Amino acid sequence: MNILSDRINNLAVSQTLAMAALARELKAQGKDIISLSLGEPDFNTPDFIKEAAKKAIDENYSTYTPVDGYVELKEAICRKFKRDNNLEYKPSNIVVSTGAKQSLYNVAQVMLNDGDEVILPAPYWVSYYEIIKLSGGVPVEVPTSVESDFKITPEQLEKAITPKTKMMWFSSPCNPSGSVYNREELTAIGKVLEKHPNIYIVSDEIYEHINFSGTFCSIASIPGMFDRTITVNGVAKAFAMTGWRIGYIGAPEFIAKACTKMQGQVTSGANSIAQRATITAVEANPSVLNDMVKAFKNRRDLVVELAKEIPNFKINVPEGAFYLFPDVSYYFGKTLRGKEIKDATDFSMYLLSEANVATVTGDAFGNPNCIRLSYATSEDLLKEALKRIKEVLI
Ligand SMILES: Cc1ncc(COP(=O)(O)O)c(C=O)c1O
């Protein structure tokens, strides 16, 4: 008899975390590894947020928090949704969680029954697939490619819908492709969904502020979509607060209530100090992020320019987040330096062993032709990494 459950035995390890761990291990062995595998900003949390946390400690915010979050934070999140997204949520629509990852897990747990299908435009963020599976759902991948800027078309969506479709999950800006859906594209998706009123949408907007396209649109702001959208966001990426672990949703009240019920039995309310600091973060004018966003844009421009020089990489120009997702399928079936490259995983391992650069295979994101490079690192390291990659491919 298996001692561990089928549930855990069937769960895949997060490949982004696995690659990061492998890169760390090789570094510890003395190898000069440049890691482009992790998805976190290399900036410090802004001082004004750190000050708010220190004040919260001194003011003794040390007891259990309300399961769905401090009311002051939920009110501040409502103002943020109005200010940035033109969405009219009330505090009863908001649930604060221990990271957007927990927000997503709550939603899957409270909405999916065994066999319910969830449409995932691919590439998608690694954890969607496993969270959906863990909750009994069936991920239905809709493939896209570099040629369509990794965005799905309304026709593709329509085709993927079956009587069992319960939800669609996507991120914009997208991890891993950096693609940003504009209002027209979201309106076209909304038109398809109009005909299927029972399908709910998870719109993961955690990269909202790391966006170089000049515009941002929440699908919940498209006519007809508000009452069937769960808008997921958090402070990890925009405010360089990955370790603080605060995410949140804006959702129809019955879904918010269900998530609160779930969370109440699993983790209770999120960390008190981090929540107080998050009030300050979400109340700040997003212009406080200008310098960081500008740095990411400069790096985006740099990696795009350097990647274009690499033979046979096919790339889109990412409009947001901090990843490049080149199509490297040209190399499949070839032998480089005596190593056979069958797929994106082999290619990513080849870059690790020959160029000492850690990337993540596109398989982890539902796209077997690509690899993901994070450019959340210094321009010097990016130049060196791209130079090394180029050298081992010619
Ligand atoms: C698209 C996307 N959603 C959610 C998360 C998780 O965010 P958090 O750190 O708040 O749990 C990440 C983190 O990598 C992400 O890339």
Side-chain angles (χ1 to χ4, degrees):
M1 193 177 85
N2 276 332
I3 296 187
L4 294 178
S5 67
D6 294 344
R7 192 179 310 112
I8 194 66
N9 285 332
N10 291 334
L11 186 71
V13 173
S14 161
Q15 291 198 51
T16 47
L17 298 183
M19 191 50 142
L22 181 59
R24 259 200 307 273
E25 204 180 301
L26 291 171
K27 253 188 195 166
Q29 290 169 15
K31 283 213 166 166
D32 171 26
I33 303 288
I34 301 178
S35 183
L36 305 185
S37 62
L38 254 192
E40 65 180 335
D42 57 327
F43 293 94
N44 292 325
T45 304
D47 285 342
F48 72 95
I49 299 174
K50 292 198 271 196
E51 287 310 319
K54 289 176 199 167
K55 188 159 168 274
I57 294 174
D58 289 339
E59 289 177 354
N60 295 308
Y61 280 98
S62 51
T63 58
Y64 285 126
T65 59
V67 173
D68 51 348
Y70 285 123
V71 70
E72 296 88 337
L73 175 53
K74 296 199 301 168
E75 284 167 356
I77 289 169
C78 291
R79 288 192 290 274
K80 173 256 170 294
F81 273 132
K82 180 70 192 148
R83 178 193 68 201
D84 299 340
N85 315 105
N86 201 23
L87 298 175
E88 302 269 359
Y89 287 118
K90 294 193 289 297
S92 56
N93 299 118
I94 308 296
V95 182
V96 178
S97 299
T98 301
K101 204 178 236 183
Q102 188 186 22
S103 304
L104 291 160
Y105 183 75
N106 284 341
V107 171
Q109 283 284 315
V110 308
M111 295 197 67
L112 297 177
N113 282 317
D114 285 353
D116 285 345
E117 292 179 359
V118 180
I119 293 177
L120 286 184
Y124 45 76
W125 181 48
V126 264
S127 293
Y128 295 166
Y129 194 94
E130 293 301 321
I131 287 176
I132 289 163
K133 254 179 46 194
L134 202 52
S135 308
V138 179
V140 175
E141 298 177 61
V142 180
T144 66
S145 67
V146 66
E147 285 80 16
S148 61
D149 191 24
F150 299 108
K151 292 179 189 170
I152 55 160
T153 61
E155 295 74 30
Q156 281 183 298
L157 175 60
E158 182 80 67
K159 256 201 188 146
I161 293 173
T162 77
K164 287 189 175 165
T165 307
K166 181 80 177 270
M167 309 185 82
M168 172 173 106
W169 287 31
F170 76 111
S171 63
S172 174
C174 173
N175 175 2
S177 69
S179 304
V180 177
Y181 284 88
N182 62 33
R183 179 167 291 276
E184 291 69 49
E185 289 159 343
L186 293 175
T187 304
I189 285 173
K191 277 256 164 330
V192 175
L193 294 174
E194 246 172 34
K195 290 176 262 166
H196 304 276
N198 297 325
I199 299 178
Y200 279 75
I201 307 151
V202 162
S203 176
D204 181 345
E205 305 180 2
I206 197 150
Y207 292 96
E208 168 187 17
H209 293 303
I210 306 174
N211 179 355
F212 325 121
S213 71
T215 58
F216 179 76
C217 181
S218 293
I219 195 165
S221 70
I222 301 291
M225 293 297 113
F226 184 74
D227 290 332
R228 44 200 292 201
T229 300
I230 298 102
T231 307
V232 179
N233 210 323
V235 288
K237 312 290 176 175
F239 295 95
M241 291 173 71
T242 48
W244 298 66
R245 311 304 305 128
I246 298 290
Y248 54 86
I249 57 168
E253 199 172 305
F254 74 99
I255 295 175
K257 267 198 178 142
C259 289
T260 304
K261 186 173 162 191
M262 168 66 57
Q263 193 161 289
Q265 290 291 16
V266 181
T267 54
S268 300
N271 177 284
S272 55
I273 310 302
Q275 283 198 56
R276 301 312 299 185
T278 298
I279 297 175
T280 308
V282 295
E283 296 226 298
N285 189 305
S287 64
V288 298
L289 305 170
N290 284 354
D291 287 349
M292 187 178 74
V293 176
K294 191 156 181 289
F296 278 129
K297 181 170 183 298
N298 289 343
R299 293 169 184 183
R300 190 276 310 261
D301 292 344
L302 177 72
V303 289
V304 164
E305 187 191 310
L306 295 174
K308 278 186 180 158
E309 289 173 15
I310 297 179
N312 308 306
F313 265 29
K314 275 197 273 175
I315 59 166
N316 68 324
V317 176
E319 288 192 297
F322 36 69
Y323 309 101
L324 186 71
F325 201 56
D327 181 317
V328 297
S329 57
Y330 167 86
Y331 292 97
F332 301 170
K334 304 216 166 25
T335 300
L336 298 169
R337 300 187 173 195
K339 293 206 160 91
E340 195 193 341
I341 312 288
K342 289 187 300 300
D343 51 26
T345 304
D346 282 353
F347 188 84
S348 171
M349 293 314 289
Y350 175 78
L351 294 185
L352 183 62
S353 66
E354 299 301 312
N356 283 346
V357 176
T359 58
V360 185
T361 171
D363 281 314
F365 307 95
N367 185 313
N369 289 333
C370 299
I371 59 165
R372 190 191 77 173
L373 286 72
S374 162
Y375 54 84
T377 192
S378 73
E379 292 198 7
D380 284 347
L381 280 177
L382 290 170
K383 280 184 199 154
E384 174 63 19
L386 275 287
K387 181 171 138 261
R388 290 189 195 175
I389 293 175
K390 192 173 164 187
E391 276 167 8
V392 300
L393 294 178
I394 43 182

